[in-house]
């Protein structure tokens, strides 16, 4: 079975500072990895995904994530955050076409 | 990109009534759709997997007689919350899977039961 752990439930960071949101997963088979962002009262928006190939994945809004198989991690990073990045971020893992398993989410708050 | 819509976006109803939520894939066909619910400040919890032309598969602890799912076509799945009660108030999100390995999520439906 797959599971996803997001260790940080809340991450406050000053505007223009770098940020890393951590995600670890457990799975006995190859999986696909995703990061989603959710703004208040809205659905999920895909930030980026890792399916195969290069372990460094670039997404929208300047975010990127690196797949580390040995550490079973898929941490999300951004070198300089903006106020508009304040949102809830979810890491998810799935196998092809099957249901997603979501982490508990990380609330990112960007402080002016 | 693929677009998934949900209707309504927000519904308020009295306790005891039934509410139907629609999930549509607008520009692709989806043999599989998923229904999630999300409580405030929490993650998404998978409720059921909806397959076109067959019965839905419910996750453990989800009452199938209370949350009726119908996947009548390749572009439409519906979730009906029967005899809704205040504890059913939540944010319901669907997703659809075209061929491949990525889910596309709807914008969600906020259900408030008074």
């Amino acid at each position: 079975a797959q599971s996803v752990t997001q260790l940080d439930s809340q991450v406050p960071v000053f505007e223009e500072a770098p940020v890393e949101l951590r995600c670890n997963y457990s799975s006995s088979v190859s999986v696909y990895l995703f990061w989603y962002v959710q703004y208040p009262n809205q659905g999920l928006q895909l930030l980026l995904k890792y399916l195969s190939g290069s372990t460094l994945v670039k997404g929208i809004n300047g975010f990127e994530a690196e797949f580390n198989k040995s550490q079973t991690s898929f941490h999300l990073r951004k070198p300089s955050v903006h106020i508009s990045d304040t949102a809830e971020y979810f890491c998810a893992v799935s196998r092809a076409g099957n249901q997603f398993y979501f982490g508990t989410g990380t609330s990112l708050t960007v402080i002016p | 990109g693929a677009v998934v819509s949900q209707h309504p976006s927000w519904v308020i109803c009295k306790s005891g009534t039934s509410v139907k939520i629609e999930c549509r894939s607008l520009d692709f066909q989806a043999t599989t759709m998923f229904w999630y619910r999300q409580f405030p400040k929490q993650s998404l919890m998978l409720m059921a997997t909806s397959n076109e032309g067959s019965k839905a598969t419910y996750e453990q602890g989800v009452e199938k007689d209370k949350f009726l799912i119908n996947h009548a076509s390749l572009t439409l799945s519906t979730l009906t919350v029967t005899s809704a009660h205040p504890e059913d108030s939540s944010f319901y999100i669907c997703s659809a899977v075209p061929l491949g390995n990525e889910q596309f999520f709807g914008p969600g439906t906020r259900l408030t039961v008074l």
Side-chain angles (χ1 to χ4, degrees), chain A residues 32 34 36 38 40-44 46 49 51 88 90 94-105 107, chain B residues 32 34 36 38 41-46 49 59 91 93 95 97-98 100-108 110:
Chain A
Y32 304 117
F34 304 81
Y36 288 89
Q38 185 180 35
N41 297 311
Q42 294 187 29
L44 277 70
L46 179 66
K49 59 185 177 182
L51 305 180
E88 192 80 15
F90 292 97
S94 83
R95 294 177 60 192
N98 290 341
Q99 57 263 44
F100 276 31
Y101 296 90
F102 285 89
T104 50
S107 179
Chain B
T32 302
F34 299 97
Y36 300 83
Q38 183 183 32
K41 305 293 184 182
Q42 295 188 28
S43 188
L44 281 73
M45 297 298 295
L46 179 66
T49 302
E59 295 299 299
F91 196 52
I93 300 175
S95 70
V97 184
N101 45 34
E102 182 175 346
Q103 291 192 19
F104 295 90
F105 289 85
R110 182 163 301 283

Side-chain angles (χ1 to χ4, degrees), chain B residues 58-75:
Chain B
Y58 291 81
E59 295 299 299
Q60 190 173 7
V62 177
E63 300 176 60
K64 61 181 181 181
D65 294 331
K66 181 168 186 61
F67 298 100
L68 301 178
I69 292 174
N70 185 1
H71 196 152
S73 75
L74 288 172
T75 58

Side-chain angles (χ1 to χ4, degrees), chain A residues 8 11-12 30 38 56 68-69 78 80 83 85 94 97-98 111:
Chain A
D8 307 305
V11 174
S30 296
Q38 185 180 35
L56 182 62
N68 189 318
K69 188 175 183 179
K78 185 169 183 177
S80 176
I83 296 292
D85 292 323
S94 83
N98 290 341
I111 305 165

Side-chain angles (χ1 to χ4, degrees), chain A residues 45-109:
Chain A
Q45 182 181 2
L46 179 66
L47 278 177
L48 48 80
K49 59 185 177 182
Y50 172 79
L51 305 180
S52 64
S54 174
T55 57
L56 182 62
V57 180
K58 293 188 183 296
I60 63 172
N61 301 341
F63 284 94
E64 64 179 33
E66 185 160 17
F67 170 58
N68 189 318
K69 188 175 183 179
S70 62
Q71 297 185 5
T72 60
S73 67
F74 191 55
H75 301 331
L76 181 70
R77 302 184 183 97
K78 185 169 183 177
S80 176
V81 295
H82 301 289
I83 296 292
S84 59
D85 292 323
T86 295
E88 192 80 15
Y89 292 80
F90 292 97
C91 182
V93 61
S94 83
R95 294 177 60 192
N98 290 341
Q99 57 263 44
F100 276 31
Y101 296 90
F102 285 89
T104 50
T106 298
S107 179
L108 174 64
T109 301

